[in-house]
Amino acid sequence: MRVWIVKDYEEMSKKAADVVAELVSRKPGCVLGLATGSTPEGLYRELVRRHKEEGLDFSKVKTFNLDEYYGLPGSHPQSYRYFMNEKLFNGLNIRKENTFVPDGTVPVKEIEKFCKKYEERIKKAGGIDLQVLGIGGDGHIAFNEPGSSLSSRTRLVALNEQTIKDNSRFFKSIDEVPRYALSMGVGTILEARELLFLANGEKKAEVVAKALEGPVTSSITASAIQLHQRVTVILDEGAASRLTRASFYKFAAEAEKKIGIDLF
Ligand code: PGA
């Protein structure tokens, strides 16, 4: 795992955009795994800018999102499909039919089949080249709440109290926050060829330290990224403030620049 500690949210977003843009330029038909939330918004803004101002080409790119609220149609302003269209896809030359977000309106009886198909689609597309991840206040990646199996697959999940509270900031009242979601599993996420893990702000510092430097545990599903061979973590100073190995990460990041080889 390589950990880059940067000054602030803007620098985190730019560095993350560098990683994505490098892949898109090198492999124009790549498959991106995408996340929603406040964390990747700056990354998406920067990608739209690079498309508009520098011609970064997304015409052959495919994307798969991590999750979607169960019960919300894509036309709902708080749905993740809506978020992705607004914050990213509408600003790029990506083909909408190449963007996949789980469908929150699948009837209960068809959920299992739908989730299986979502996974098959990922495989058919060649697998995810780079998966963008944020971390929830409870340590989740995607909606894999504490206790989710580390080999879980795409499925219907129940949201825990903290997530409902955290996400209520986007809704008129907490009662409107969906209680369920369709989410890629931890096992699904770990199959991506590379992970790009982002976090910002002091509020995330403690849970980030647990995820990166604590034991691998289903109690903090983000800790499962320790099992992956190619992970780039980008943190701002606030999110990195509780790490015990920060000076080592800085040393390794400097060395990486000097040598010119990725030091995972
Ligand atoms: P956030 O959400 O980026 O809005 O903090 C992260 C998450 O819940 O995964």
Side-chain angles (χ1 to χ4, degrees):
M1 175 177 341
R2 55 180 180 176
V3 181
W4 297 342
I5 299 169
V6 299
K7 196 172 77 229
D8 54 18
Y9 181 75
E10 204 184 320
E11 202 182 335
M12 177 196 81
S13 305
K14 287 212 167 108
K15 287 251 186 259
D18 288 343
V19 175
V20 176
E22 190 278 325
L23 171 66
V24 171
S25 308
R26 174 167 46 86
K27 189 176 177 185
C30 66
V31 180
L32 299 176
L34 298 176
T36 49
S38 307
T39 310
E41 269 194 61
L43 158 65
Y44 297 157
R45 251 194 317 270
E46 179 62 13
L47 290 176
V48 168
R49 190 196 67 75
R50 291 188 195 199
H51 165 65
K52 293 208 154 103
E53 291 175 19
E54 297 165 17
L56 187 63
D57 180 18
F58 287 81
S59 60
K60 295 195 182 73
V61 173
K62 285 196 176 124
T63 67
F64 288 89
N65 263 78
L66 288 170
D67 45 19
E68 176 63 283
Y69 287 121
Y70 187 64
L72 297 193
S75 56
H76 191 290
Q78 299 314 330
S79 74
Y80 286 170
R81 160 55 77 182
Y82 193 94
F83 175 100
M84 291 309 300
N85 287 348
E86 287 285 305
K87 308 284 182 191
L88 185 66
F89 301 146
N90 291 346
L92 303 176
N93 65 334
I94 196 163
R95 295 164 60 142
K96 276 282 164 61
E97 63 269 32
N98 285 343
T99 68
F100 300 91
V101 181
D103 177 1
T105 66
V106 184
V108 175
K109 277 192 185 144
E110 288 165 34
I111 288 176
E112 214 179 309
K113 204 172 90 197
F114 175 85
C115 292
K116 234 182 168 169
K117 204 165 158 209
Y118 198 69
E119 298 247 349
E120 279 163 14
R121 276 205 180 123
I122 294 173
K123 284 215 171 81
K124 226 177 121 196
I128 290 170
D129 290 299
L130 178 69
Q131 175 67 59
V132 177
L133 296 169
I135 180 170
D138 63 357
H140 68 207
I141 40 172
F143 273 134
N144 294 291
E145 302 290 37
S148 295
S149 160
L150 298 184
S151 52
S152 50
R153 313 298 311 188
T154 304
R155 69 209 185 287
L156 180 73
V157 295
L159 305 184
N160 75 13
E161 240 181 278
Q162 186 176 351
T163 297
I164 291 167
K165 222 189 264 162
D166 285 350
N167 291 8
S168 65
R169 68 189 194 275
F170 299 111
F171 291 82
K172 273 193 217 106
S173 84
I174 194 161
D175 298 330
E176 285 183 18
V177 185
R179 265 46 184 174
Y180 303 91
L182 298 177
S183 177
M184 276 192 209
V186 180
T188 321
I189 292 168
L190 291 179
E191 279 172 14
R193 289 187 191 91
E194 193 166 340
L195 305 180
L196 178 58
F197 178 95
L198 310 176
N200 67 286
E202 238 177 280
K203 243 175 77 187
K204 295 275 174 78
E206 198 175 326
V207 78
V208 163
K210 282 184 186 158
L212 302 187
E213 297 183 337
V216 173
T217 169
S218 65
S219 298
I220 305 278
T221 56
S223 66
I225 70 168
Q226 294 177 38
L227 299 168
H228 198 284
Q229 290 185 41
R230 291 179 68 86
V231 186
T232 303
V233 175
I234 313 179
L235 307 171
D236 74 351
E237 295 280 359
S241 60
R242 299 289 286 268
L243 295 174
T244 59
R245 293 193 291 259
S247 59
F248 167 71
Y249 303 135
K250 285 182 180 167
F251 163 73
E254 280 306 312
E256 190 172 45
K257 274 188 218 152
K258 265 189 225 151
I259 310 167
I261 294 177
D262 298 343
L263 291 179
F264 285 109

